[in-house]
Amino acid sequence: MSTQSTPIAAVILAAGKGTRMKSSLPKVLHPVASVPMVGHVVKLALDVGAAPIALVVAEGMENVVAVGREIAGEVDVAIQKEQNGTAHAVLAARPVLGELDGILLVLYGDTPLLTQTTLEQIIETMDADSKCAVAVLGFIPEDAGAYGRLVLADDGTLEKIVEAKDATEDELAIELCNSGVMAIRANVAWKLLAQVKNDNAKKEYYLTDIVALARAAGYTALAVEGDEDEVLGINSRNELAIAEAIFQYRARQKFMDAGVTLIDPDSVYFAADTAIANDVLIEPNVFFGTGVTVASGVHIKAFSHIDGATIGTNSTVGPFARLRPNTTLGADVKVGNFVELKAADVKAGAKISHLSYIGDASVGEDANIGAGTITCNYDGYLKYKTTIGKGVFVGSNSALVAPVTLGDGAMVGAGSVITEDVAGDAIALTRTAQTVKAGGAKEFRTKKSAEKLAKKKA
Ligand code: UD1
Ligand code: CA
């Protein structure tokens, strides 16, 4: 949370269709680090203490709104029917935001890498200067291309922004570009925006025009310089991959700085919300989906896929383990190779060492689940629960047909199909008794080799 007390409202522009993604999904819903890019922006707005937060979307983008609500709980929604430019888009939020105090932040839904530190710098810049009506995040890109250029006055303040299409030769030579991120003094925002005209190359209402309008009204404007990596706007799948790479690089550095060992950092992928304590060891080729929390001392072995799971202190997972959503491992749990867990609550000290599927289940403390044990949780229509008590021992290759309960201290003989509850400390065996015929194997071999010889001769 930000410490400043100025009220902040945020407008997140997300009405663009993003045709270059060539996708049926709105551009801002494509994920970076397993979270839709607009989700990163909503989270950032929350983190700097913005309330209200308004999302500007085009018609039919209910799925974008749903992501906003999932993250912020509450968002105001403005539908921009036609995309007539960035100023037009911000103005679309006026009816839902109403009169505001403090600062109005303008963010883009397709710019997910912006950091809280940089955004707070913009807010502080405005806070520190009561004459400043617009503070803009600028950056120096490798290639200025189509970006708007920030024209600075002699005193270093921001004079105006010119769009590349409307710029003179001299203006095009300016290196400092507009990221699009902007803070506007809220009590003049609507008044300034209402003055924006569309007499430009694109016949659009440019948000960037409010810099010159603010100055004409007697205010100043300021530019804050940020890093190109933070303001990468995503328009194509290629840029999506670049953003992912930047995000993952940052995440790997952050975790290593916090005391996590990554044997091969470049092969480990985190979600935006992954939480990992110190002294965790992660082997190569591990993927984290959303909603994962890993406690201290955990060892995650190579090629594991972990999604929506909580892993307790000193547990080991993998190699080749798959933890699916709503799985919780207590302390000192062992989940070994080729084990899949889904909605499994595995208590401290339990071991599921090899080749198992444990779904919709609870596994008691210190239980030992033998190799190849399967919880049969689904009958083709509905799912059912398996409850395995404390200290239970399940023999290898057993099928536990849910709903079923194994009481504390119960045992299941290898190869059993358990369809009924087993009481605590009882032993259940469902396989047929073994029959043995002395010399039978030798007899069989003699008979079969004779048959084979006869067939060859024929
Ligand atoms: C804008 C800036 C430019 C800056 C660049 C940075 C203006 C006029 N220009 O240009 O100075 O260098 O961003 O990337 O602001 N959007 C809407 N409704 C609209 C128009 C846009 O929601 O009617 C949204 C888009 O979905 C996008 C964002 O606003 O997320 C930016 O719009 P875009 O058209 O991409 O602006 P640029 O031309 O790139
Ligand atoms: Ca753009």
Side-chain angles (χ1 to χ4, degrees):
M1 272 293 172
S2 143
T3 49
Q4 42 71 44
S5 53
T6 313
I8 296 169
V11 184
I12 299 172
L13 306 189
K17 296 267 167 357
T19 48
R20 279 200 278 152
M21 295 299 280
K22 303 205 170 69
S23 175
S24 57
L25 197 65
K27 175 170 80 172
V28 296
L29 290 185
H30 285 263
V32 171
S34 297
V35 170
M37 50 178 114
V38 70
H40 290 256
V41 183
V42 172
K43 170 80 168 36
L44 177 66
L46 274 183
D47 287 347
V48 297
I53 297 171
L55 264 177
V56 179
V57 297
E59 275 176 319
M61 288 191 180
E62 289 77 16
N63 43 8
V64 174
V65 174
V67 168
R69 296 224 155 107
E70 203 184 303
I71 289 168
E74 203 182 309
V75 289
D76 291 312
V77 178
I79 313 261
Q80 189 194 19
K81 292 210 169 98
E82 279 172 64
Q83 278 73 68
N84 289 331
T86 44
H88 183 256
V90 178
L91 268 176
R94 182 177 188 169
V96 296
L97 289 179
E99 289 316 308
L100 296 168
D101 228 7
I103 291 173
L104 177 63
L105 279 181
V106 180
L107 304 171
Y108 289 176
D110 65 357
T111 308
L113 298 175
L114 188 65
T115 64
Q116 186 176 343
T117 313
T118 300
L119 197 52
E120 277 169 353
Q121 236 178 300
I122 300 162
I123 294 166
E124 279 154 24
T125 299
M126 173 155 287
D127 261 347
D129 182 348
S130 60
K131 300 264 321 163
C132 172
V134 186
V136 176
L137 178 62
F139 69 111
I140 299 181
E142 219 162 276
D143 172 15
Y147 289 117
R149 307 296 203 271
L150 299 189
V151 182
L152 299 184
D154 292 336
D155 62 359
T157 61
L158 182 60
E159 190 171 307
K160 61 176 178 176
I161 306 177
V162 281
E163 288 306 287
K165 280 199 170 153
D166 304 291
T168 64
E169 200 81 353
D170 282 353
E171 287 166 343
L172 280 177
I174 294 173
E175 289 184 314
L176 189 61
C177 289
N178 177 26
S179 70
V181 177
M182 197 178 275
I184 310 172
R185 193 161 294 281
N187 60 8
V188 293
W190 304 133
K191 200 170 76 190
L192 294 174
L193 283 160
Q195 293 171 36
V196 173
K197 298 193 179 65
N198 67 344
D199 49 357
N200 52 53
K202 284 164 95 179
K203 294 279 169 288
E204 279 187 1
Y205 296 89
Y206 290 165
L207 175 60
T208 46
D209 283 357
I210 69 163
V211 171
L213 290 167
R215 290 188 76 110
Y219 295 95
T220 64
L222 296 169
V224 173
E225 194 183 324
D227 187 10
E228 181 172 14
D229 275 359
E230 283 195 37
V231 295
L232 174 68
I234 296 168
N235 301 295
S236 64
R237 306 270 180 168
N238 182 48
E239 286 166 351
L240 184 65
I242 292 170
E244 183 74 38
I246 295 170
F247 185 95
Q248 294 301 339
Y249 177 82
R250 283 187 194 167
R252 291 164 191 146
Q253 298 302 312
K254 176 186 83 179
F255 286 125
M256 290 189 286
D257 287 348
V260 176
T261 295
L262 304 176
I263 293 175
D264 179 11
D266 290 351
S267 72
V268 179
Y269 288 79
F270 300 100
D273 63 350
T274 307
I276 304 181
N278 69 321
D279 283 331
V280 167
L281 169 61
I282 302 175
E283 293 185 6
N285 296 296
V286 173
F287 182 93
F288 292 92
T290 55
V292 176
T293 304
V294 182
S296 189
V298 167
H299 183 176
I300 300 177
K301 298 183 182 177
F303 296 100
S304 293
H305 191 284
I306 298 165
D307 193 9
T310 300
I311 303 176
T313 319
N314 297 328
S315 290
T316 69
V317 172
F320 298 98
R322 178 161 186 221
L323 305 191
R324 291 171 53 200
N326 299 316
T327 289
T328 306
L329 309 186
D332 303 303
V333 165
K334 182 182 176 200
V335 174
N337 40 226
F338 307 106
V339 169
E340 175 181 351
L341 302 183
K342 188 216 69 175
D345 181 14
V346 183
K347 300 287 193 233
K351 290 189 171 65
I352 311 169
S353 298
H354 336 262
L355 299 156
S356 281
Y357 170 65
I358 304 295
D360 301 314
S362 65
V363 177
E365 249 173 69
D366 297 318
N368 191 317
I369 310 297
T373 298
I374 306 291
T375 53
C376 308
N377 61 329
Y378 184 52
D379 60 9
Y381 295 89
L382 295 168
K383 304 254 170 93
Y384 306 92
K385 200 177 169 208
T386 300
T387 305
I388 299 170
K390 215 169 160 176
V392 165
F393 182 95
V394 179
S396 296
N397 203 33
S398 293
L400 308 176
V401 182
V404 73
T405 298
L406 310 181
D408 291 350
M411 293 184 88
V412 170
S416 294
V417 176
I418 301 296
T419 55
E420 275 164 45
D421 290 355
V422 179
D425 293 322
I427 187 160
L429 272 168
T430 68
R431 57 183 190 240
T432 50
Q434 185 169 314
T435 56
V436 178
K437 192 178 161 193
K442 200 171 171 190
E443 238 170 68
F444 178 84
R445 286 193 293 269
T446 311
K447 182 169 168 253
K448 284 292 165 185
S449 55
E451 275 176 25
K452 195 172 175 182
L453 197 63
K455 199 172 176 187
K456 239 190 213 166
K457 283 185 180 159

